[in-house]
Amino acid sequence: MDAGVLETAFLQAQETVGRQGDIVRSLKAQLKDGKVERSAVDEAIEMLKQVKIDLERKQKALEDATGKTASANKEAFRSAMLNALERRLFFIPSFKIYGSVAGFYDYGPPGCAMKQNVTQTWRNHFILEENMLELECPAVTPEIVLKASGHVERFTDFMVTDVKTGDCHRADHLLEGALEALLEDRKNPASPEAAKAARDLLARVGELGAEELGAALTQYGVKAPDTKNDISAPFPFNLMFKTSIGPRGDLVGYLRPETAQGIFVNFKDLLYYNGSKLPFAAAQIGNSYRNEISPRAGLLRVREFTQAEIEHFCNPADKSHPKFQSVAEVAPLLYSRELQMGDEKKPKRIPLGTAVAKGIIANETLAYFIGRTYLFAQRASQWGGVGLNADRVRFRQHLQHEMAHYAEDCWDFEVECSYGWVECAGLADRSAYDLNAHAAMSKVEMSAYERFAEPQEVDVLSIVPNKKELGRLFKKDAKAIADALEAMSECDALEMAGKLAAGQAAGIKADGQAFEMQPGFVEIKKQRKKMSGRNFTPAVIEPSFGIGRILYCVFEHCFYTREGDDQRSVFSFTPVTAPVKCTVFPLLQRAELNERAEAMSAALTRERLSNTVDTTGTTIGKRYARTDEIGVPFAITIDYQTVEDSTATLRERDSTAQVRVPLAELPALVRRLTDMELSWQEVAAKYPAQAQAGDE
Amino acid sequence: MDAGVLETAFLQAQETVGRQGDIVRSLKAQLKDGKVERSAVDEAIEMLKQVKIDLERKQKALEDATGKTASANKEAFRSAMLNALERRLFFIPSFKIYGSVAGFYDYGPPGCAMKQNVTQTWRNHFILEENMLELECPAVTPEIVLKASGHVERFTDFMVTDVKTGDCHRADHLLEGALEALLEDRKNPASPEAAKAARDLLARVGELGAEELGAALTQYGVKAPDTKNDISAPFPFNLMFKTSIGPRGDLVGYLRPETAQGIFVNFKDLLYYNGSKLPFAAAQIGNSYRNEISPRAGLLRVREFTQAEIEHFCNPADKSHPKFQSVAEVAPLLYSRELQMGDEKKPKRIPLGTAVAKGIIANETLAYFIGRTYLFAQRASQWGGVGLNADRVRFRQHLQHEMAHYAEDCWDFEVECSYGWVECAGLADRSAYDLNAHAAMSKVEMSAYERFAEPQEVDVLSIVPNKKELGRLFKKDAKAIADALEAMSECDALEMAGKLAAGQAAGIKADGQAFEMQPGFVEIKKQRKKMSGRNFTPAVIEPSFGIGRILYCVFEHCFYTREGDDQRSVFSFTPVTAPVKCTVFPLLQRAELNERAEAMSAALTRERLSNTVDTTGTTIGKRYARTDEIGVPFAITIDYQTVEDSTATLRERDSTAQVRVPLAELPALVRRLTDMELSWQEVAAKYPAQAQAGDE
């Protein structure tokens, strides 16, 4: 059998396993509610086992036939899919007529429509459902904001340059490439010790500092790709696009590297808007920018991309979530720290309730968002998920060293695609870090007030500058010094108190100048006070999504070719995400058919269903193939019987099954199918089947 | 009577006139279809006359009472409205905790929701309805694209600097300010001649070059505002934000000043996608950037803003539009060139069919988009317009000198607000200018092919380089010279042919070098050929919208205060644009009411209606006032009767009328009201009225 046929068979089997998995999960949920019998679930599980065995067999057959590793097959798959995407203008390299610029892509008509759909699904699933406060902030951001957030100092990648041509490369990518080549070299296999060392280093590349990275590059003799020239030592390159705001040229600005900062700087207003109550979540969907050193991996690593970020503000002492029970039994693949360090190195399906109870996930709120993300990703959730294969998505916990020092817990939402497991969202408990950073830089308090159930005795720090003494010694600076003393953090104040108590001097900065405090200049002490509440900086739990990456993975999970014809590619997009919901075909180029087709199109538009009429004279089979290729889920064909009895055929893309439906009922029917209020099975049961003309 | 009461009365009268105008126009349309009697129309017109007289009376009363001009009242109105907008977080000056940066605003929760709604209405009204090809291109754009479009050279404003402080000002704004001050100076009134000169100059400020502008600034003795220092001579300042793409720093990029260029550079692919057929339209909604010299006018002149642009590509010889008849009887206020130059200087309602027939609007396609824009702007169109007052919008034709040399006709969609008439969209027939510019720069052909009904005799230019001679004389450069000769435009070729025929030499550039052509080096002639079709560069008709400006004008047209209480401000947003569709109020803070309110909120969310529950203990009247202030059209109140008979009250914002409706029917009812499938009148007729508790 030829490889194309085997590949199609493999992809279809993969799709089947995904669907059967969905069915099992859905039946299990219904079993809980007493809606189905235990036997139905068992039967579905048995079926799942069988299709999994079938999948493994087909994968093996494919690998045997092609003599290629899985990764070579993946590349062939990707190139077939990208070809379909580019040919049908899902995306276009930007500025193509000028030779393009790496890292920039345009979304063409179907890609743009799908991006809207994914974004709108996200908005419905998160913002509308949770009543989040949505914001829209500018991308152009003055430097001070990004100094506070740490991006000006730390948002860097290590770069090396080709010493002769000046070409720039990412140091870690070059090192990874060299290590992988060494490990895969069949002609001169590395010694077991060398291989182990290379593997260990490969796992740590992301953690290396400039010096270690430079040493490793030298050790492995890494040269510039293509030219094979020597490379410079690695140095940090800031990934933000820089610009200048206003005509004077003295106000530095950057294009934001993430949308989150726009939410943080508005925290105070948002808290007030929410009636000063916690918890609440704010969200922003918008473009962010990263001036990547050398963008690779096509649509996955781009320089301008759409983010959808949520900042859930809560009391650090209470990270429970009122709606947690609604996801407690959702069981996504979790790849916890423990499982990553274990022998099997495989994620496991764990109900989120169990994961929180066992301390695998740090708190309910983080687990709640993991559950909501999982439902959003799938094929069939309340709003209709975006259509990823639930067996090819997982949540991977950050290892301790991967997390920033302030983070409490982090999980990446990863999707398996031809590039491997790709991070499509990050869910992090960032504690109070971001709000504290902006409070420190802006001198604006970023706190919330909590009223205790009953008054409590608490230790309160009191800082009382000796204003008389300060005034005498420091004259006009006295006020600024007193203010600076009063504004000290608890930590700084206690440190100063210690020094002063020991009879030493202690430094303080005020208005950019340094001053020396002596014992007696300020009184610092802890007092026990009865308080009816307290001010605190809220903790932030941040789910952050890359819309473009999710869309790309949807493309991969939905692409297949029809059995027996690897030229007929299909995207099995869910009706919610599909770029066009329905196509209308007059069977032949006749005025009486065209007129009815146009009228049907207008009726679909009135139902706000995006649709197209294809009146070209090609065969109906070719036209079906053409809409399959952009993933249109439904097609209406107007034929001569339509003229006689005002019915038309309705075709479903994946089964290619057709039914005959009265014209008058079609627009509302397609609307309900698209909204997933109605399944194709229900439609097929209600209306008479039609011979599958065009798809034989 | 106090001024507040008079102002409220005036604003309400203005609102009433707008509504009555809508009613008259709607009745007139129904009269055509035989749906209403002539007498009903006459009655409505009579009513319109009366409310107009009432409006004039109230305006006069207000002006008399306050002793203020209309413009002072407008400022008071604006400041009351901005206060309401800012208090309720419709917008927030960006980076507020860091002191803000002029020209940048965040949309807070209600503003963000409304912007989504306006944008989605635009997408439904234009893209979905017309089946346009929607694109999404990056904002970061390499320099060459904007060189081709002319922005690098010409996208400038004239700037002057304060010679002592270096502060920057827009030269034209300073001059306008000086002239207006001179004309309004009551203490030292200008002589009639001086006033006339100032008025004439004022009308021409936008057209002045650097030298004239400098001379005028000197003549009128203009100084820097605030400091009163001398100012520099005016010089052009490019308004694009500049950045650098990639790590090398040698690829200059700009943030796009408009979204249109992204469409033009993709023209070829889009034409192919459309089956190589014309006409078709492409559209893009996205952010554009202008580094304004000194942003004023708050939300109207910002540095980052959302545009929605359409490029309609058509055959320059055929600008008819297939759907033109659907707008032929739409009659917006047209302010044609003739009316602007005439004595009355007033726009007139002219049916678009008449306007095209009389040549007032250049062609059907341009007029079609004017009609569609007008329907989009209004209160009640098919999708529900965005809610502007149809009597305060007009289309103003560009005067001849305002248009670029290549433009065939241009109309600005202007909306009257407290700043005067504000341009919210531009509709221009730009001929083939943009495509030709990119074809010239990129050397990629930007043409379409037209098959003649039957073969035609046409003149074809033939350019045949004498390759042998060129090879002998120019050796390695010969090929480049031959290519350059063949690539000459028709104009250049004919000019060269003329020179050569006269025995003169003619220059040609190839690969950046200049070469001299002598007679005999190339043969250039026109030949008559029988052709079955021709290649041509399509013309472009461009409707271009500023979403933020439209939104701002919606705020102004919808803002009013309740009669007798100028503290109770209301935004009368249409249900389609309103940020929140429905609020749910438990009448009192009791568990049995709160539970039902939460259940109702969940049911509304299932209908995808954005809603909030207000469980605060304040009086129901205060809570109604609070939702009026963010323009929520409907409110559901859960009271003790709800517990008994499972009904609740539904309140409409503008009338404050209430009806009692079974709980089960409410979600779908609000859905239909919001979609404008059902009017409040119909609801009021069907359900029993409820005493207007809370609004007395």
Side-chain angles (χ1 to χ4, degrees):
Chain A
M1 263 207 278
D2 94 71
V5 176
L6 288 167
E7 193 188 346
T8 302
F10 165 69
L11 290 172
Q12 281 179 337
Q14 195 170 50
E15 175 89 10
T16 308
V17 168
R19 278 170 198 254
Q20 191 60 27
D22 289 343
I23 292 170
V24 168
R25 279 183 290 281
S26 148
L27 285 172
K28 278 185 177 170
Q30 291 179 48
L31 179 65
K32 287 245 165 62
D33 305 341
K35 287 190 190 160
V36 296
E37 301 279 314
R38 176 84 239 171
S39 62
V41 182
D42 291 342
E43 210 173 293
I45 292 175
E46 189 48 40
M47 173 69 115
L48 179 59
K49 281 185 197 155
Q50 282 174 27
V51 294
K52 276 190 175 166
I53 293 168
D54 183 54
L55 171 63
E56 277 169 30
R57 228 185 40 231
K58 285 185 170 147
Q59 177 163 8
K60 178 128 198 341
L62 174 60
E63 290 183 14
D64 288 350
T66 57
K68 281 192 247 171
T69 61
S71 93
N73 284 326
K74 278 178 187 164
E75 271 173 37
F77 166 79
R78 182 163 68 227
S79 105
M81 184 200 66
L82 287 177
N83 186 296
L85 287 174
E86 207 163 346
R87 196 169 62 244
R88 299 308 300 271
L89 241 52
F90 278 84
F91 71 91
I92 311 158
S94 300
F95 324 114
K96 202 168 91 175
I97 61 171
Y98 294 105
S100 306
V101 178
F104 292 99
Y105 292 91
D106 297 345
Y107 288 98
C112 190
M114 282 191 68
K115 185 162 172 253
Q116 304 288 342
N117 295 342
V118 169
T119 308
Q120 197 52 43
T121 303
W122 193 91
R123 183 174 277 123
N124 287 337
H125 187 83
F126 290 103
I127 296 181
L128 183 59
E129 185 71 30
E130 315 287 341
N131 234 317
M132 294 177 180
L133 308 183
E134 188 176 356
L135 290 184
E136 189 181 310
C137 309
V140 174
T141 305
E143 185 166 45
I144 189 165
V145 174
L146 297 159
K147 269 196 173 151
S149 68
H151 286 91
V152 171
E153 199 187 334
R154 290 188 304 270
F155 195 64
T156 55
D157 275 341
F158 288 113
M159 177 157 109
V160 294
T161 56
D162 182 316
V163 293
K164 288 197 183 143
T165 64
D167 287 346
C168 303
H169 304 282
R170 258 183 77 163
D172 54 350
H173 285 175
L174 291 195
L175 182 58
E176 280 166 359
L179 295 170
E180 280 163 7
L182 184 140
L183 290 168
E184 283 172 15
D185 191 341
R186 302 266 169 268
K187 281 192 192 158
N188 305 298
S191 71
E193 300 75 42
K196 184 179 180 314
R199 258 195 304 275
D200 287 351
L201 186 58
L202 195 52
R204 296 199 311 120
V205 169
E207 305 157 33
L208 304 180
E211 258 178 59
E212 290 171 290
L213 203 50
L217 288 167
T218 309
Q219 183 194 336
Y220 287 93
V222 178
K223 303 283 175 186
D226 306 331
T227 66
K228 301 298 162 207
N229 293 331
D230 283 344
I231 54 174
S232 73
F235 58 94
F237 171 75
N238 194 299
L239 297 179
M240 291 194 293
F241 284 97
K242 196 172 186 173
T243 189
S244 162
I245 304 171
R248 290 185 65 130
D250 54 2
L251 181 55
V252 171
Y254 296 94
L255 301 188
R256 63 179 171 195
E258 57 174 35
T259 62
Q261 301 307 323
I263 300 177
F264 294 133
V265 299
N266 283 314
F267 168 73
K268 262 188 69 166
D269 279 342
L270 293 171
L271 178 66
Y272 177 77
Y273 185 84
N274 200 51
S276 301
K277 280 186 297 193
L278 284 180
F280 73 89
Q284 180 166 198
I285 303 174
N287 283 358
S288 294
Y289 298 80
R290 294 182 188 179
N291 194 8
E292 298 285 349
I293 293 172
S294 48
R296 303 188 301 186
L299 293 167
L300 284 181
R301 188 168 292 282
V302 292
R303 285 169 164 162
E304 179 166 345
F305 53 97
T306 302
Q307 281 191 312
E309 296 194 294
I310 296 167
E311 308 298 333
H312 178 96
F313 298 101
C314 61
N315 188 328
D318 177 10
K319 293 178 182 170
S320 64
H321 195 286
K323 290 163 88 177
F324 179 68
Q325 280 314 312
S326 69
V327 299
E329 298 186 8
V330 171
L333 283 171
L334 294 186
Y335 200 18
S336 66
R337 226 168 269 153
E338 203 187 326
L339 289 170
Q340 290 173 65
M341 310 294 270
D343 290 337
E344 268 207 86
K345 302 209 182 301
K346 265 191 169 174
K348 251 167 82 174
R349 286 197 181 274
I350 305 174
L352 293 169
T354 310
V356 172
K358 289 195 175 168
I360 299 171
I361 301 174
N363 56 65
E364 275 188 12
T365 298
L366 193 54
Y368 177 72
F369 283 115
I370 287 178
R372 293 291 297 166
T373 301
Y374 182 64
L375 294 174
F376 163 75
Q378 286 185 50
R379 250 169 237 283
S381 303
Q382 192 199 340
W383 300 110
V386 297
L388 293 171
N389 181 334
D391 288 325
R392 297 176 69 195
V393 307
R394 71 181 185 192
F395 293 85
R396 190 184 69 79
Q397 190 171 31
H398 279 204
L399 298 176
Q400 206 65 45
H401 69 258
E402 286 181 273
M403 292 201 300
H405 63 92
Y406 50 80
E408 305 255 322
D409 194 8
C410 292
W411 292 77
D412 283 347
F413 169 61
E414 297 184 329
V415 183
E416 195 194 14
C417 75
S418 66
Y419 292 103
W421 286 93
V422 168
E423 179 196 342
C424 287
L427 299 105
D429 181 339
R430 299 176 56 83
S431 74
Y433 177 79
D434 308 276
L435 292 180
N436 281 335
H438 283 294
M441 183 69 94
S442 67
K443 312 287 179 216
V444 171
E445 217 185 327
M446 297 279 198
S447 62
Y449 181 76
E450 173 191 22
R451 175 171 288 276
F452 298 138
E454 48 193 82
Q456 292 181 11
E457 295 258 323
V458 280
D459 280 334
V460 178
L461 190 78
S462 124
I463 303 176
V464 184
N466 183 338
K467 291 194 179 160
K468 204 171 145 194
E469 187 72 6
L470 293 176
R472 192 175 63 81
L473 288 165
F474 299 104
K475 305 277 184 308
K476 68 173 177 37
D477 295 322
K479 167 111 188 32
I481 295 171
D483 288 349
L485 288 168
E486 283 170 347
M488 279 190 295
S489 71
E490 183 159 335
C491 250
D492 291 348
L494 291 177
E495 193 191 334
M496 181 178 284
K499 284 190 182 166
L500 297 181
Q504 298 167 9
I508 181 97
K509 273 202 171 173
D511 271 356
Q513 264 184 279
F515 297 95
E516 203 158 83
M517 298 294 103
Q518 300 288 345
F521 286 17
V522 56
E523 188 187 21
I524 300 170
K525 63 181 177 202
K526 280 206 167 179
Q527 285 179 312
R528 206 138 181 89
K529 266 195 184 173
K530 198 149 194 160
M531 306 282 281
S532 56
R534 66 170 188 131
N535 278 314
F536 64 94
T537 311
V540 165
I541 291 174
E542 178 189 83
S544 166
F545 293 72
I547 297 292
R549 286 189 169 192
I550 291 171
L551 185 56
Y552 176 80
C553 292
V554 168
F555 291 151
E556 281 217 3
H557 286 200
C558 290
F559 182 74
Y560 69 96
T561 49
R562 287 252 184 251
E563 195 151 4
D565 185 355
D566 65 357
Q567 295 303 304
R568 287 194 61 185
S569 50
V570 185
F571 281 105
S572 60
F573 300 133
T574 57
V576 176
T577 45
V580 173
K581 309 305 181 195
C582 189
T583 329
V584 186
F585 299 111
L587 188 63
L588 298 162
Q589 284 186 306
R590 299 285 146 76
E592 67 267 42
L593 302 189
N594 282 349
E595 271 164 31
R596 284 172 176 82
E598 292 294 346
M600 176 55 63
S601 166
L604 291 169
T605 302
R606 277 195 296 279
E607 289 281 346
R608 301 193 201 180
L609 291 164
S610 72
N611 65 87
T612 51
V613 181
D614 182 346
T615 57
T616 54
T618 42
T619 66
I620 189 72
K622 279 197 183 141
R623 285 184 284 164
Y624 284 151
R626 212 141 67 184
T627 64
D628 288 347
E629 213 180 20
I630 63 165
V632 182
F634 307 107
I636 293 171
T637 302
I638 308 287
D639 53 20
Y640 276 105
Q641 193 177 330
T642 310
V643 181
E644 282 162 29
D645 68 0
S646 294
T647 63
T649 69
L650 178 66
R651 170 186 182 268
E652 192 275 333
R653 175 197 59 213
D654 294 311
S655 62
T656 73
Q658 295 184 26
V659 292
R660 188 159 272 280
V661 182
L663 288 181
E665 296 176 24
L666 272 168
L669 188 69
V670 176
R671 166 89 268 165
R672 295 186 62 211
L673 276 166
T674 301
D675 283 351
M676 292 174 120
E677 288 173 11
L678 201 65
S679 72
W680 177 255
Q681 284 67 30
E682 290 169 282
V683 172
K686 182 170 173 195
Y687 295 98
Q690 171 86 11
Q692 297 182 21
D695 281 308
E696 38 313 286
Chain B
M1 262 205 277
D2 92 73
V5 176
L6 289 168
E7 193 188 346
T8 302
F10 164 71
L11 290 172
Q12 281 180 337
Q14 196 171 50
E15 174 90 8
T16 308
V17 168
R19 277 170 198 253
Q20 192 59 27
D22 289 343
I23 292 171
V24 168
R25 279 183 292 280
S26 147
L27 285 172
K28 278 186 176 170
Q30 290 178 49
L31 179 65
K32 286 245 164 61
D33 306 340
K35 288 191 189 157
V36 296
E37 300 281 314
R38 175 84 240 171
S39 63
V41 182
D42 292 342
E43 208 173 294
I45 292 176
E46 191 46 44
M47 173 70 112
L48 179 60
K49 281 185 198 155
Q50 283 175 25
V51 295
K52 277 190 174 167
I53 292 169
D54 182 53
L55 172 63
E56 277 169 32
R57 228 185 40 229
K58 285 186 170 146
Q59 177 163 9
K60 180 130 197 335
L62 175 61
E63 289 183 13
D64 288 351
T66 57
K68 282 191 246 172
T69 60
S71 92
N73 284 326
K74 278 179 188 164
E75 271 173 38
F77 166 80
R78 181 163 68 227
S79 103
M81 183 199 66
L82 287 177
N83 187 294
L85 288 174
E86 208 163 347
R87 198 170 58 246
R88 300 309 300 271
L89 242 52
F90 278 82
F91 71 91
I92 312 158
S94 300
F95 324 113
K96 203 168 91 176
I97 61 171
Y98 293 105
S100 305
V101 178
F104 292 99
Y105 291 91
D106 298 344
Y107 288 98
C112 190
M114 283 191 68
K115 185 164 173 253
Q116 304 289 342
N117 295 341
V118 169
T119 307
Q120 197 53 40
T121 303
W122 193 91
R123 184 174 275 123
N124 286 337
H125 187 83
F126 290 102
I127 297 181
L128 183 61
E129 186 70 30
E130 315 287 341
N131 233 319
M132 293 177 180
L133 308 183
E134 188 176 355
L135 290 184
E136 190 181 310
C137 309
V140 173
T141 305
E143 185 167 45
I144 189 164
V145 174
L146 297 158
K147 268 193 173 154
S149 68
H151 286 92
V152 171
E153 199 186 335
R154 290 188 304 271
F155 195 65
T156 55
D157 275 342
F158 287 114
M159 177 157 109
V160 293
T161 56
D162 182 317
V163 293
K164 287 199 183 141
T165 65
D167 286 345
C168 304
H169 305 281
R170 259 183 76 160
D172 54 349
H173 286 174
L174 291 195
L175 181 58
E176 281 166 0
L179 293 171
E180 279 161 8
L182 184 138
L183 290 167
E184 283 172 15
D185 191 342
R186 303 266 168 268
K187 283 193 189 156
N188 305 298
S191 71
E193 301 75 40
K196 185 180 178 314
R199 257 194 305 275
D200 287 351
L201 185 58
L202 196 52
R204 297 198 310 120
V205 169
E207 306 156 34
L208 304 180
E211 259 177 58
E212 290 171 291
L213 203 49
L217 288 168
T218 309
Q219 182 193 337
Y220 287 94
V222 178
K223 302 284 175 186
D226 306 329
T227 66
K228 301 298 162 209
N229 294 330
D230 282 345
I231 54 175
S232 72
F235 58 94
F237 171 77
N238 193 298
L239 297 178
M240 291 194 292
F241 284 98
K242 195 172 185 173
T243 189
S244 165
I245 304 171
R248 291 186 62 129
D250 54 1
L251 181 55
V252 171
Y254 296 95
L255 301 189
R256 62 181 173 196
E258 59 175 33
T259 61
Q261 300 306 323
I263 300 177
F264 294 134
V265 299
N266 283 314
F267 168 73
K268 262 188 70 166
D269 279 341
L270 294 171
L271 179 66
Y272 177 77
Y273 186 84
N274 201 51
S276 301
K277 280 185 296 192
L278 284 179
F280 73 90
Q284 181 166 198
I285 303 174
N287 284 0
S288 294
Y289 298 81
R290 294 182 188 180
N291 194 9
E292 298 286 351
I293 293 172
S294 48
R296 302 188 301 186
L299 293 168
L300 284 181
R301 189 168 292 281
V302 291
R303 285 170 164 160
E304 179 166 344
F305 53 98
T306 302
Q307 282 190 312
E309 295 195 294
I310 296 166
E311 308 298 332
H312 178 97
F313 298 100
C314 61
N315 188 329
D318 177 11
K319 293 178 181 171
S320 64
H321 195 286
K323 290 162 89 177
F324 179 67
Q325 279 315 310
S326 68
V327 300
E329 298 186 7
V330 171
L333 284 172
L334 293 186
Y335 200 18
S336 66
R337 226 168 268 155
E338 203 186 325
L339 290 170
Q340 291 173 63
M341 310 293 271
D343 289 336
E344 268 206 88
K345 302 208 183 298
K346 264 193 172 174
K348 251 168 79 174
R349 286 199 180 273
I350 305 173
L352 293 169
T354 312
V356 172
K358 289 194 175 168
I360 299 171
I361 300 174
N363 56 65
E364 275 188 14
T365 298
L366 193 54
Y368 177 72
F369 282 116
I370 287 177
R372 292 290 296 167
T373 300
Y374 181 65
L375 295 174
F376 164 75
Q378 286 184 51
R379 250 170 236 283
S381 302
Q382 190 200 342
W383 300 111
V386 297
L388 294 170
N389 182 335
D391 288 325
R392 297 175 69 195
V393 307
R394 72 181 185 192
F395 292 86
R396 190 183 69 79
Q397 189 171 32
H398 279 203
L399 299 175
Q400 206 65 46
H401 70 257
E402 286 180 271
M403 291 203 298
H405 64 94
Y406 50 79
E408 305 254 323
D409 194 8
C410 292
W411 292 77
D412 282 347
F413 169 62
E414 297 184 332
V415 183
E416 195 194 14
C417 75
S418 65
Y419 292 104
W421 287 93
V422 168
E423 179 198 343
C424 287
L427 298 104
D429 181 338
R430 300 176 55 83
S431 75
Y433 176 77
D434 308 277
L435 292 181
N436 280 335
H438 283 294
M441 183 69 93
S442 67
K443 312 289 179 213
V444 172
E445 218 185 326
M446 295 281 197
S447 62
Y449 181 77
E450 174 190 22
R451 174 171 289 277
F452 298 140
E454 48 193 82
Q456 291 181 12
E457 295 257 319
V458 281
D459 281 333
V460 178
L461 190 77
S462 125
I463 303 176
V464 183
N466 183 338
K467 291 193 179 162
K468 208 170 142 192
E469 187 72 3
L470 293 176
R472 192 175 62 79
L473 287 165
F474 299 104
K475 306 278 184 301
K476 67 172 178 39
D477 295 321
K479 167 107 186 38
I481 295 170
D483 288 349
L485 288 168
E486 283 170 346
M488 280 190 295
S489 72
E490 182 157 334
C491 250
D492 291 348
L494 291 176
E495 193 190 336
M496 181 179 284
K499 285 190 184 165
L500 298 181
Q504 297 168 10
I508 180 95
K509 272 203 171 171
D511 271 355
Q513 266 183 280
F515 298 94
E516 202 159 82
M517 298 294 102
Q518 300 288 347
F521 287 16
V522 57
E523 187 188 24
I524 300 169
K525 64 182 178 200
K526 279 208 168 179
Q527 284 178 312
R528 213 149 174 81
K529 267 198 182 169
K530 198 149 195 162
M531 304 284 280
S532 56
R534 67 169 188 131
N535 278 314
F536 64 94
T537 310
V540 164
I541 291 174
E542 178 188 85
S544 166
F545 294 72
I547 296 292
R549 286 191 170 190
I550 292 171
L551 185 56
Y552 177 80
C553 293
V554 168
F555 291 150
E556 281 216 4
H557 286 200
C558 290
F559 183 74
Y560 69 96
T561 47
R562 288 251 184 248
E563 194 150 3
D565 185 356
D566 65 358
Q567 295 306 303
R568 286 193 62 184
S569 51
V570 185
F571 282 105
S572 61
F573 301 133
T574 57
V576 176
T577 46
V580 173
K581 309 306 179 194
C582 188
T583 327
V584 185
F585 298 112
L587 188 62
L588 298 161
Q589 285 186 305
R590 298 284 146 78
E592 67 266 42
L593 302 189
N594 282 350
E595 272 163 32
R596 284 173 177 79
E598 292 294 345
M600 175 55 63
S601 166
L604 292 168
T605 302
R606 277 194 296 278
E607 289 282 345
R608 303 196 198 179
L609 291 163
S610 71
N611 65 87
T612 52
V613 181
D614 183 345
T615 57
T616 55
T618 41
T619 66
I620 189 72
K622 279 198 183 137
R623 284 184 284 165
Y624 284 151
R626 212 141 68 182
T627 64
D628 288 347
E629 213 181 20
I630 62 164
V632 183
F634 307 107
I636 293 170
T637 301
I638 307 288
D639 54 18
Y640 277 104
Q641 194 176 330
T642 310
V643 181
E644 283 163 29
D645 69 1
S646 294
T647 62
T649 70
L650 178 66
R651 170 187 183 264
E652 191 276 333
R653 175 198 57 213
D654 293 312
S655 61
T656 72
Q658 295 184 28
V659 293
R660 188 159 272 277
V661 183
L663 289 180
E665 294 175 28
L666 273 168
L669 188 70
V670 177
R671 167 90 268 164
R672 295 187 62 210
L673 277 165
T674 301
D675 283 351
M676 292 172 120
E677 288 172 10
L678 202 65
S679 72
W680 178 255
Q681 286 66 31
E682 290 168 282
V683 172
K686 181 169 173 196
Y687 294 98
Q690 172 86 9
Q692 296 182 21
D695 282 308
E696 40 311 286

